[in-house]
């Protein structure tokens, strides 16, 4: 992947437009409940400011109706938190697309936050006229929003075509470097763990990954679909029976690559009070729910993890939110933490599991982008990255 990085560009005295991902979770009162994404976005802002740029930052937040700004989706709380973290007042600019006195007054060392980019009509459709108007605000466009890199929108894609210069911010660049390290030229054996509950989205990930990896570990609802494909029983567990054919095709095409679970922790319901029972897969009853991998399966997987050179991890292998069904995920998290392999992990619930088991600092790279991470694993082109590569190629050629 070849694209310009913010660090490649002299931004002194320039107007720098940063598209960040500041879409943080909020409670009903609008208070930020987790500011990880804001903190992860600070390096781009600090770097541009330190090198004498005038900085504009925007992001989406929530799912507002375009053309209808509303208080609940305003970036006002983000401006406040950003101000606390940067130790300065961060003005919030509304109706910013065509500039104005605030833009004329922007000078080196200033930083402003531009209100929710999804308030603008045409943002999601990647409207060219909108992107062109936005591009006029900037000398340098910086995309630092890996989390939305799989979407072509006016602030993630169109603007990059028209701005005088376009580059990746440090967070975006770090994500892409880590993914390239894991998948483009990985230390072998390369193994992937794909688990969790989004069965249908993730089966296409598996189909792509199966040809790249040396072993493919399945868990959660995905594993249940593979148990069915291997002729086993899953009771009333989460699975997608329509996708058994696809799972079977993977098993047939890559013999031995996908270990199918041999034992499981089951219960009659998903509840903290549910009685957890350990069963061999062949003993699973019609009213059982498989809620975690069993210890024999986990033992076999730990051997594979110990030998791996690279690990790509998306999805908890059990209902880890309930401790009775968290042992499999916990054991794999610890095995990954102890292994010498380079591990990249991504996914909202995967990150929650990594935090719960306290292994975050022993995972090689933790991706901030759920959807974009999965689409990259599927082998899809991320439009926000493709346009930066296109600009770079045009410049070089
Ligand atoms: P991520 O957010 O990391 O991409 P997903 O959203 O796909 O992961 O899946 C996470 C959820 O899957 C967790 O809430 C977990 O409880 C659930 N899960 C894992 N294993 C099972 C299972 N066997 N049956 C039902 N749900 C499961
Ligand atoms: Mg999830």
């Amino acid at each position: 992947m070849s694209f310009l990085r913010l660090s490649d560009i002299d931004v002194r005295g320039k107007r720098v437009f940063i598209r960040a991902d500041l879409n943080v979770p909020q409670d009903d009162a609008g208070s930020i409940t987790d500011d990880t994404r804001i903190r992860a976005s600070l390096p781009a802002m600090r770097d541009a400011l330190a090198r004498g740029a005038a900085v504009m930052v925007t992001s989406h937040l929530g799912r507002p109706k375009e053309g209808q700004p509303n208080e609940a989706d305003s970036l006002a709380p983000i401006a406040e938190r950003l101000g606390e973290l940067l130790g300065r007042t961060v003005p919030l600019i509304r109706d910013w697309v065509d500039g104005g006195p605030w833009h004329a007054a922007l000078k080196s060392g200033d930083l402003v936050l531009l209100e929710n980019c999804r308030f603008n009509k045409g943002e999601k459709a990647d409207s060219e006229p909108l992107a062109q108007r936005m591009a006029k605000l900037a000398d340098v466009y910086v995309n630092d929003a890996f989390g939305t890199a799989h979407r072509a929108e006016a602030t993630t894609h169109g603007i990059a075509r028209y701005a005088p210069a376009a580059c990746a911010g440090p967070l975006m660049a770090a994500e892409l470097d880590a993914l390239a390290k894991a998948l483009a030229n990985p230390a072998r054996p390369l193994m992937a763990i794909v688990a969790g509950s989004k069965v249908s989205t993730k089966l296409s990930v598996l189909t792509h990954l199966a040809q790249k990896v040396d072993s493919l570990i399945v868990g959660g609802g995905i594993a249940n679909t593979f148990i069915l494909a291997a002729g086993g029983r899953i009771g009333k567990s989460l699975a997608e029976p329509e996708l058994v054919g696809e799972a079977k095709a993977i098993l047939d095409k890559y013999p031995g690559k996908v270990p199918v679970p041999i034992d499981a922790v089951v219960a009659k319901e998903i509840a903290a009070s549910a009685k957890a029972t350990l069963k061999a897969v062949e003993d699973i009853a019609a009213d059982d729910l498989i809620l975690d991998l069993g210890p024999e399966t986990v033992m076999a997987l730990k051997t594979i993890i110990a030998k791996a050179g690279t690990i790509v991890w998306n999805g908890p292998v059990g209902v880890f939110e309930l401790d009775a069904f968290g042992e499999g995920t916990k054991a794999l998290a610890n095995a990954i933490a102890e292994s010498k392999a380079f591990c990249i992990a991504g996914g909202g619930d995967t990150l929650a599991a990594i935090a719960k088991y306290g292994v975050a600092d022993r995972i090689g790279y933790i991706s901030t982008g759920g959807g974009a991470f999965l689409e990259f694993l599927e082998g899809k082109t991320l439009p926000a990255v493709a346009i930066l590569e296109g600009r770079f190629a045009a410049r070089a050629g």
Side-chain angles (χ1 to χ4, degrees):
M1 275 179 289
S2 304
F3 44 82
L4 277 180
R5 294 159 191 252
L6 176 56
S7 53
D8 297 329
I9 298 180
D10 179 8
V11 293
R12 178 158 307 280
K14 299 214 173 115
R15 292 166 306 181
V16 171
F17 181 114
I18 302 176
R19 172 54 158 102
D21 177 3
L22 309 174
N23 183 34
V24 290
Q26 291 168 283
D27 64 17
D28 291 342
S31 301
I32 296 166
T33 52
D34 176 13
D35 67 359
T36 307
R37 283 183 169 155
I38 302 179
R39 289 174 188 274
S41 302
L42 295 175
M45 301 178 208
R46 288 195 168 122
D47 175 41
L49 286 172
R51 292 193 285 129
V55 181
M56 297 162 268
V57 182
T58 194
S59 172
H60 69 292
L61 181 69
R63 298 173 191 277
K65 248 214 171 95
E66 287 187 0
Q68 294 179 19
N70 71 86
E71 269 316 298
D73 293 318
S74 169
L75 294 187
I78 317 295
E80 206 179 306
R81 178 62 56 91
L82 206 47
E84 288 163 18
L85 293 167
L86 290 171
R88 60 193 293 154
T89 305
V90 173
L92 178 66
I93 315 289
R94 300 173 208 264
D95 284 327
W96 49 269
V97 173
D98 294 310
W102 66 269
H103 188 255
L106 265 189
K107 55 183 193 313
S108 177
D110 287 351
L111 181 139
V112 297
L113 187 63
L114 309 179
E115 184 56 289
N116 195 335
C117 55
R118 286 198 187 147
F119 284 174
N120 301 315
K121 250 200 177 112
E123 168 66 15
K124 293 194 87 165
D126 197 18
S127 150
E128 287 211 19
L130 178 65
Q132 282 169 337
R133 284 156 67 201
M134 289 173 172
K136 285 205 180 102
L137 298 173
D139 299 309
V140 178
Y141 164 75
V142 181
N143 191 341
D144 209 24
F146 178 74
T148 50
H150 57 312
R151 301 200 182 103
E153 300 181 348
T155 58
T156 64
H157 181 266
I159 185 175
R161 179 178 305 143
Y162 298 110
C167 66
L171 180 59
M172 172 75 95
E175 293 270 0
L176 295 172
D177 288 345
L179 282 164
K181 185 173 170 186
L183 291 171
N185 198 5
R188 301 260 170 190
L190 167 61
M191 90 175 245
I193 303 175
V194 183
S197 58
K198 283 177 261 163
V199 180
S200 47
T201 27
K202 293 185 181 181
L203 263 167
S204 54
V205 175
L206 292 182
T207 308
H208 180 76
L209 280 180
Q211 51 185 352
K212 298 205 136 208
V213 302
D214 302 300
S215 47
L216 187 52
I217 306 275
V218 290
I222 320 260
N224 297 340
T225 307
F226 275 85
I227 295 174
L228 281 180
R233 282 186 294 189
I234 62 164
K236 51 187 178 92
S237 306
L238 172 72
E240 258 178 270
E242 321 80 78
L243 295 172
V244 164
E246 268 185 62
K248 198 167 179 319
I250 294 175
L251 289 176
D252 291 345
K253 190 164 176 194
Y254 305 102
K257 249 193 202 184
V258 188
V260 177
I262 47 175
D263 61 345
V265 180
V266 305
K268 303 295 180 193
E269 55 173 345
I270 301 185
S273 57
K275 184 173 178 294
T277 310
L278 179 61
K279 285 192 178 177
V281 163
E282 60 263 27
D283 297 330
I284 289 177
D287 63 343
D288 278 336
L289 287 167
I290 299 175
L291 300 179
D292 196 8
L293 299 176
E296 275 195 53
T297 303
V298 168
M299 186 80 84
L301 300 183
K302 279 167 72 173
T303 314
I304 303 177
I305 291 173
K307 290 187 196 136
T310 308
I311 301 169
V312 177
W313 180 18
N314 170 261
V317 296
V319 181
F320 74 98
E321 295 89 343
L322 304 176
D323 286 336
F325 311 108
E327 288 302 317
T329 303
K330 183 181 179 182
L332 294 194
N334 283 318
I336 290 169
E338 278 154 31
S339 98
K340 288 188 186 67
F342 171 71
C343 175
I344 176 165
D349 294 291
T350 308
L351 268 49
I354 286 170
K356 176 168 179 173
Y357 300 121
V359 295
D361 57 349
R362 286 183 290 156
I363 303 287
Y365 191 82
I366 295 184
S367 175
T368 56
F373 179 73
L374 280 177
E375 291 205 8
F376 191 100
L377 298 188
E378 263 180 270
K380 289 190 181 159
T381 305
L382 303 177
V385 179
I387 187 102
L388 297 180
E389 291 176 325
R391 286 293 304 260
F392 183 77
R395 181 177 172 272

